[in-house]
Amino acid sequence: MTENLAPEDDHLTRATAHLVHVFEQLGAEHEALVAEAAETTANERRGTVHRMVECLAQAAYTLNHTVSMLATVHGLRGLGIDGQFSKDAEGRDYSPLNSLGYPGETLYEAAGHLQAVARSLGNAYTPTRKHPGLAIARCPQQMKAALTSLRVALESVCAGLAAGDDEGTASEYAPTLTFLSELQDRVCLSVPAQASSLTADEVAAAIRADPGIARAAAAALATTTA
């Protein structure tokens, strides 16, 4: 089906599919953070987790809006609407009534919204001075998929801008693409595979990657020292 699409629509279809995937993958992480906030008794620690919850919710809200924007671009192009002006008596463009929708401008705005999503996710995992260990994904597999798809979606939107003779504007988003790659490497820590004997570093990494392991470890220690 996609082989019959214009290059701009091909990029648009790819971007939209990946944004839907991002939206779906954020659910597990948001759920885990909400549960962690409910179980955390230390005020400052709970406040940090609440901030993470709010940042993910903001990212999801912006994703929702961006998908609608891309659907608008698709609809405008399909209907042949591209900034047409009304005409004066001589058939010339008549600007006082403004113009119909302009897909290129909407696509540019969508790219800016994806930058905002990246910032929201970055803010969620900004380490704090007292609790730097909280700045990791609770569901690293889902968050890795989300960040990967977000990066691909932004690349596709940039490709769509470039195909519409807006190549210079598209290059503005290179720092955001780099940021998403670095964020993924920093926060999506994989849990070490279980072995017959784990090192202290492997145990610490497993605890940081999964709050459930941390709670189980604390409970075990409390039982041992009781």
Side-chain angles (χ1 to χ4, degrees), residues 14-94:
R14 179 176 173 83
T16 304
H18 277 279
L19 290 183
V20 171
H21 188 61
V22 175
F23 186 79
E24 292 173 341
Q25 295 303 306
L26 289 182
E29 181 75 0
H30 186 269
E31 181 183 39
L33 287 169
V34 169
E36 183 176 336
E39 296 175 2
T40 301
T41 56
N43 289 337
E44 187 172 350
R45 186 183 182 94
R46 184 171 62 247
T48 297
V49 179
H50 271 303
R51 172 181 57 78
M52 299 174 76
V53 169
E54 292 169 0
C55 287
L56 256 70
Q58 180 60 49
Y61 172 83
T62 307
L63 279 170
N64 190 325
H65 185 55
T66 307
V67 169
S68 296
M69 294 179 74
L70 295 183
T72 298
V73 173
H74 180 73
L76 290 172
R77 286 175 174 168
L79 294 171
I81 297 173
D82 193 1
Q84 291 93 334
F85 285 97
S86 53
K87 304 298 181 179
D88 64 14
E90 304 298 326
R92 295 169 299 196
D93 287 344
Y94 183 73

Side-chain angles (χ1 to χ4, degrees), residues 169-180:
T169 300
S171 65
E172 296 177 11
Y173 301 97
T176 302
L177 294 171
T178 300
F179 171 77
L180 288 171

Side-chain angles (χ1 to χ4, degrees), residues 189-195 198 201-207 209:
L189 305 177
S190 59
V191 179
Q194 295 297 317
L198 295 176
D201 287 343
E202 288 174 334
V203 172
I207 290 173

Side-chain angles (χ1 to χ4, degrees), residues 156-174:
S156 297
V157 170
C158 289
L161 289 170
D165 297 325
D166 205 357
E167 188 171 355
T169 300
S171 65
E172 296 177 11
Y173 301 97

Side-chain angles (χ1 to χ4, degrees), residues 78-213:
L79 294 171
I81 297 173
D82 193 1
Q84 291 93 334
F85 285 97
S86 53
K87 304 298 181 179
D88 64 14
E90 304 298 326
R92 295 169 299 196
D93 287 344
Y94 183 73
S95 60
L97 296 182
N98 296 318
S99 63
L100 296 178
Y102 177 41
E105 181 177 345
T106 304
L107 189 61
Y108 177 74
E109 292 175 2
H113 278 69
L114 294 185
Q115 278 190 312
V117 172
R119 285 195 298 269
S120 293
L121 294 177
N123 290 337
Y125 297 99
T126 299
T128 61
R129 183 173 60 85
K130 289 192 175 181
H131 300 292
L134 293 178
I136 58 169
R138 276 54 175 179
C139 300
Q141 181 177 352
Q142 287 87 344
M143 281 304 299
K144 182 176 182 179
L147 291 170
T148 298
S149 282
L150 181 57
R151 189 171 65 253
V152 173
L154 182 54
E155 288 172 341
S156 297
V157 170
C158 289
L161 289 170
D165 297 325
D166 205 357
E167 188 171 355
T169 300
S171 65
E172 296 177 11
Y173 301 97
T176 302
L177 294 171
T178 300
F179 171 77
L180 288 171
S181 294
E182 293 173 347
L183 182 65
Q184 177 179 315
D185 291 340
R186 178 170 63 82
V187 307
C188 298
L189 305 177
S190 59
V191 179
Q194 295 297 317
S196 57
S197 178
L198 295 176
T199 67
D201 287 343
E202 288 174 334
V203 172
I207 290 173
R208 286 194 298 270
D210 188 343
I213 295 177

